[in-house]
Amino acid sequence: MNYVPGTASLIDDIDKKHLVLLRDGRTLIGFLRSIDQFANLVFHQTVERIHVGKKFGDIPRGIFIVRGENVVLLGEIDVDKPCDTVLQQVSIEEILEEQRLQQQAKQETEKVKMQVLKDRGLSIPKADNLDEY
Amino acid sequence: MTAKEKEWITRLQMIQLQSENPYLEDYYYQEYYRRMEAKLAEEELGTRSKREPPKLTTPYITKTDSYTPVVHIEGSLGQVAVSTCYSPRRAISAVHAVQAQSPLEFLPFLLISKGKKLLARLLPFLKHESAQTVLHIVTRNLPTLMNRDTEEALPVLYPALRNVIGGLTFSQLIGVLKDLTSSESQTIFVICLFCLQFGLSLLYALLSQGEKLLSSGVPLEPSIGDFEAWTDTIFQVAGQLSQCSLVEPLLLPSNLLTLFCRYLDKRTVHQLKSNME
């Protein structure tokens, strides 16, 4: 029951399973236990889910406290809905290896791109170095 | 989360939502609610039951425009600056400090050499009463001032004060002289006025002004006892002057000897003359 009609509030989401996407790209799944006025979140039985291609892996993380400003998306997971996904769950070691390879490939393409731009006298700063301002 | 915590957050969010003109700031919700109500009213025209849809009611809390920019915690040595969007930070409370209500408050300024210089520059622009007040402060506190004048900055005040003296009436002059000569200890009196340059110069300036007034022929309008005080002062000063060795003053007024000639015998005058030169 929404205490505040006509508004959006996280109070109704408490004690439910949620998926949250953070600004650093991580995906966490856990039970939302506590919130505050800044939308800082406390997750219980948290699992970090890493996706690489069609594979994913879950790393159990325990209790997580997320600072509100770092949240991109937050959504409730419907546990009753049947899970019909094409994604394949693999072991932690495997997914971490996959991730490492993915990162490596990405870095190499980035490096080539930067070199090409540099040759042409252009430089595009990386997004994570930029501040919001 | 406990119910109390949930309530607290809800309350906090509600406070942020309240506004003076909701139709301006929250148009869509107000409109939506109005339409919902209208529809419900239409539906219930048949049935008599009144079913009101839930409406957002913000708690009524009067907004306080006042805020204390600087918070002083009991027992602390400093202040904590509260910064809001109206005032980023109030670093110094300069507003309350500068309100010198009583003339006595000038004394701290005079004790610093910078204060003396400042006052010397300021004196020409003050009104006559205010300037005289300053003169009185100087003469009344002369021992203190001369004691603490480590940098020998007092002479900067001399020109300005001399001008103030030049504007004194006879009665006012007597008043100032009384201040100077009424110090409790005779030694202090002697030291201040004769052995120290500033004091001596001030004394000479005052005597010179007196002589000027007396010999100018302008009606003096003296108060009762003024003339006696004047002659008393002359004798007292002359007595001391002839006995002490004097320092060289900042300025030796030309009419002093004439003044002394008028009141004192030739021998004393001669002695004074040789002392003063």
Side-chain angles (χ1 to χ4, degrees):
Chain A
M1 177 222 125
N2 192 2
Y3 293 98
V4 203
T7 65
S9 175
L10 284 174
I11 292 191
D12 297 330
D13 289 0
I14 288 192
D15 293 333
K16 297 183 180 144
K17 196 167 185 188
H18 278 73
L19 182 145
V20 63
L21 176 64
L22 303 179
R23 265 166 57 179
D24 64 358
R26 277 189 282 189
T27 311
L28 301 176
I29 297 172
F31 290 95
L32 182 63
R33 292 297 183 207
S34 186
I35 57 163
D36 70 356
Q37 68 266 40
F38 308 111
N40 293 331
L41 313 165
V42 175
F43 282 102
H44 186 213
Q45 294 167 3
T46 324
V47 144
E48 182 182 337
R49 185 164 285 183
I50 302 175
H51 291 267
V52 180
K54 287 225 161 59
K55 300 185 188 157
F56 74 90
D58 284 348
I59 307 173
R61 295 292 196 187
I63 298 175
F64 244 91
I65 297 176
V66 180
R67 189 180 165 98
E69 64 170 342
N70 294 307
V71 170
V72 174
L73 297 169
L74 172 70
E76 191 191 331
I77 292 177
D78 191 348
V79 287
D80 299 325
K81 219 170 175 180
C83 192
D84 50 357
T85 171
V86 294
L87 298 174
Q88 176 203 13
Q89 181 158 21
V90 295
S91 69
I92 298 176
E93 295 84 15
E94 199 182 324
I95 199 69
L96 284 172
E97 179 60 24
E98 293 277 337
Q99 192 185 43
R100 190 184 65 80
L101 292 171
Q102 189 190 48
Q103 283 293 92
Q104 207 173 31
K106 198 169 169 186
Q107 267 173 11
E108 268 160 39
T109 52
E110 189 67 29
K111 199 165 144 191
V112 169
K113 193 166 100 175
M114 291 298 258
Q115 188 56 45
V116 167
L117 285 171
K118 197 167 137 190
D119 292 338
R120 282 158 176 70
L122 298 166
S123 82
I124 297 172
K126 286 209 286 227
D128 52 72
N129 285 341
L130 279 174
D131 245 330
E132 276 105 340
Y133 311 104
Chain B
M1 265 181 97
T2 65
K4 253 204 154 169
E5 287 168 352
K6 292 185 189 176
E7 215 180 276
W8 179 70
I9 293 180
T10 314
R11 187 169 175 267
L12 215 68
Q13 290 172 340
M14 292 275 251
I15 291 170
Q16 293 167 355
L17 288 177
Q18 71 175 76
S19 76
E20 310 254 309
N21 38 6
Y23 261 94
L24 196 72
E25 288 171 24
D26 194 15
Y27 171 73
Y28 291 101
Y29 175 72
Q30 300 294 326
E31 186 60 22
Y32 167 73
Y33 185 76
R34 193 188 62 80
R35 288 188 194 188
M36 220 168 54
E37 258 197 325
K39 196 167 77 177
L40 242 65
E42 232 183 78
E43 285 173 5
E44 279 161 25
L45 221 51
T47 67
R48 279 290 135 187
S49 64
K50 270 221 159 169
R51 198 167 43 91
E52 274 188 27
K55 186 170 191 188
L56 177 72
T57 41
T58 52
Y60 182 67
I61 292 159
T62 46
K63 245 189 205 168
T64 44
D65 289 313
S66 69
Y67 70 103
T68 43
V70 172
V71 171
H72 182 82
I73 299 170
E74 292 303 314
S76 76
L77 292 171
Q79 298 171 327
V80 182
V82 174
S83 72
T84 69
C85 55
Y86 298 107
S87 104
R89 205 152 64 109
R90 193 132 81 88
I92 31 168
S93 55
V95 184
H96 307 295
V98 194
Q99 272 170 27
Q101 263 132 16
S102 85
L104 286 171
E105 287 190 27
F106 265 148
L107 197 58
F109 287 121
L110 282 172
L111 291 172
I112 315 168
S113 62
K114 206 165 188 178
K116 293 183 186 100
K117 283 187 211 160
L118 211 68
L119 209 59
R121 284 171 62 186
L122 184 65
L123 266 172
F125 299 103
L126 292 177
K127 270 197 259 186
H128 202 59
E129 300 100 57
S130 319
Q132 274 182 50
T133 317
V134 177
L135 178 65
H136 275 283
I137 293 170
V138 172
T139 49
R140 272 182 215 142
N141 297 289
L142 200 60
T144 323
L145 283 172
M146 303 198 85
N147 239 345
R148 292 175 57 173
D149 186 28
T150 45
E151 291 164 36
E152 296 187 14
L154 267 177
V156 304
L157 280 168
Y158 178 74
L161 286 175
R162 185 148 203 276
N163 283 333
V164 178
I165 291 169
L168 291 174
T169 66
F170 196 65
S171 291
Q172 289 166 339
L173 178 70
I174 299 297
V176 178
L177 277 171
K178 275 196 188 146
D179 279 343
L180 267 184
T181 56
S182 69
S183 60
E184 283 129 23
S185 159
Q186 271 295 81
T187 40
I188 295 177
F189 168 68
V190 168
I191 292 169
C192 284
L193 292 180
F194 304 117
C195 306
L196 294 166
Q197 198 183 43
F198 179 71
L200 188 64
S201 317
L202 212 62
L203 182 64
Y204 281 173
L206 288 163
L207 292 175
S208 168
Q209 170 69 359
E211 171 63 17
K212 194 177 95 176
L213 286 172
L214 285 168
S215 58
S216 67
V218 177
L220 292 171
E221 297 166 6
S223 319
I224 298 171
D226 271 354
F227 276 122
E228 285 94 46
W230 174 246
T231 43
D232 280 344
T233 313
I234 301 286
F235 282 121
Q236 186 183 21
V237 167
Q240 302 281 16
L241 278 173
S242 54
Q243 286 166 31
C244 311
S245 58
L246 305 168
V247 297
E248 200 176 312
L250 292 163
L251 183 72
L252 186 64
S254 49
N255 55 2
L256 278 184
L257 280 174
T258 331
L259 167 69
F260 288 134
C261 282
R262 196 120 53 85
Y263 292 92
L264 306 161
D265 56 279
K266 253 202 168 147
R267 193 171 64 87
T268 324
V269 174
H270 199 72
Q271 176 112 45
L272 281 168
K273 188 165 172 224
S274 57
N275 250 6
M276 279 170 11
E277 275 155 22

